[in-house]
Amino acid sequence: MRITRYTHACVRLEHEGRVLVIDPGTWSEPAALTGADAVLVTHEHADHVDVLRLAGLGVPVYAPAEADIPRLEVTGVASDAEFTAAGFRVRAVGERHAFVYGGQPDCANLGYIVDEAVYHPGDALHVPEQSIETLLVPVQGSWMKMAEAIDFVKAVRPQRTFAIHDAQINDRGLSSVNGWLAEETDSGYRYLMPGESV
């Protein structure tokens, strides 16, 4: 499976000509959706779902059943649901977005495990019960701190880890984040630049 990371939380998965895109938000590049066969959305926030772009795309979009995403037709998904999107096997895990302050925001957030190998948690740090080969770890957000990202990687225990959710930090901050994750986790951590593939 080819994994291409785009700005912030957007990731493109390709295998045998099939393309699945996760969380193409308003900050991600339009190129992420070129040739997409289906899209997974973890939650309703604009940095994870670009409604106008997806409305005109004409491919199936899967999102939490409780998500409030006006003007976009989606297939609602529940936690623990298993389904096929663009020929990839997907399992939804988790339930709610991480809190920022005072219990807010409170919205549905599902992480997706694709082909029992790649895990995108959205804006939550839900630890799945199954083993994970590739973890896409959020590294910055108003809802988290560095210690939580490190502990999340240690709890999931993936074979390899790539950063996502980093568009609000500058180069100096990113260097610090990368250093902490590389030093404190034994997970094959690597930072992919937007547009870079593995």
Side-chain angles (χ1 to χ4, degrees):
M1 182 188 307
R2 180 180 175 88
I3 300 172
T4 305
R5 181 184 177 254
Y6 286 90
T7 297
H8 201 50
C10 182
V11 178
R12 176 184 172 106
L13 306 177
E14 298 175 70
H15 185 65
E16 297 179 346
R18 297 172 284 116
V19 178
L20 179 64
V21 180
I22 307 173
D23 278 3
T26 55
W27 298 347
S28 64
E29 297 81 356
L33 290 166
T34 301
D37 296 302
V39 172
L40 304 178
V41 172
T42 61
H43 65 288
E44 62 198 48
H45 295 159
D47 58 325
H48 294 258
V49 56
D50 186 330
V51 172
L52 294 179
R53 204 182 302 165
L54 290 178
L57 191 62
V59 302
V61 177
Y62 301 84
E66 296 177 35
D68 182 16
I69 308 176
R71 302 181 312 279
L72 181 63
E73 186 176 326
V74 302
T75 298
V77 178
S79 185
D80 293 324
E82 295 185 21
F83 58 98
T84 300
F88 293 86
R89 290 172 292 120
V90 180
R91 186 162 71 89
V93 296
E95 290 185 33
R96 309 303 296 176
H97 190 290
F99 293 142
V100 175
Y101 181 77
Q104 296 300 319
D106 185 31
C107 67
N109 181 101
L110 293 175
Y112 298 109
I113 300 171
V114 180
D115 280 350
E116 298 190 19
V118 178
Y119 177 36
H120 189 308
D123 280 9
L125 301 176
H126 175 82
V127 177
E129 295 179 5
Q130 72 185 76
S131 61
I132 298 296
E133 178 184 307
T134 302
L135 174 63
L136 305 170
V137 61
V139 297
Q140 189 277 333
S142 54
W143 50 273
M144 70 178 301
K145 59 185 178 182
M146 190 73 249
E148 293 173 322
I150 293 168
D151 287 344
F152 178 56
V153 174
K154 287 182 173 183
V156 174
R157 299 172 58 198
Q159 294 176 31
R160 62 183 185 166
T161 303
F162 302 116
I164 58 170
H165 212 277
D166 65 339
Q168 291 182 299
I169 53 177
N170 62 23
D171 290 341
R172 184 178 296 129
L174 185 58
S175 178
S176 176
V177 162
N178 288 335
W180 276 104
L181 283 164
E183 290 175 23
E184 296 297 329
T185 67
D186 184 22
S187 65
Y189 177 77
R190 179 176 164 199
Y191 182 79
L192 297 177
M193 294 294 293
E196 189 175 356
S197 302
V198 290

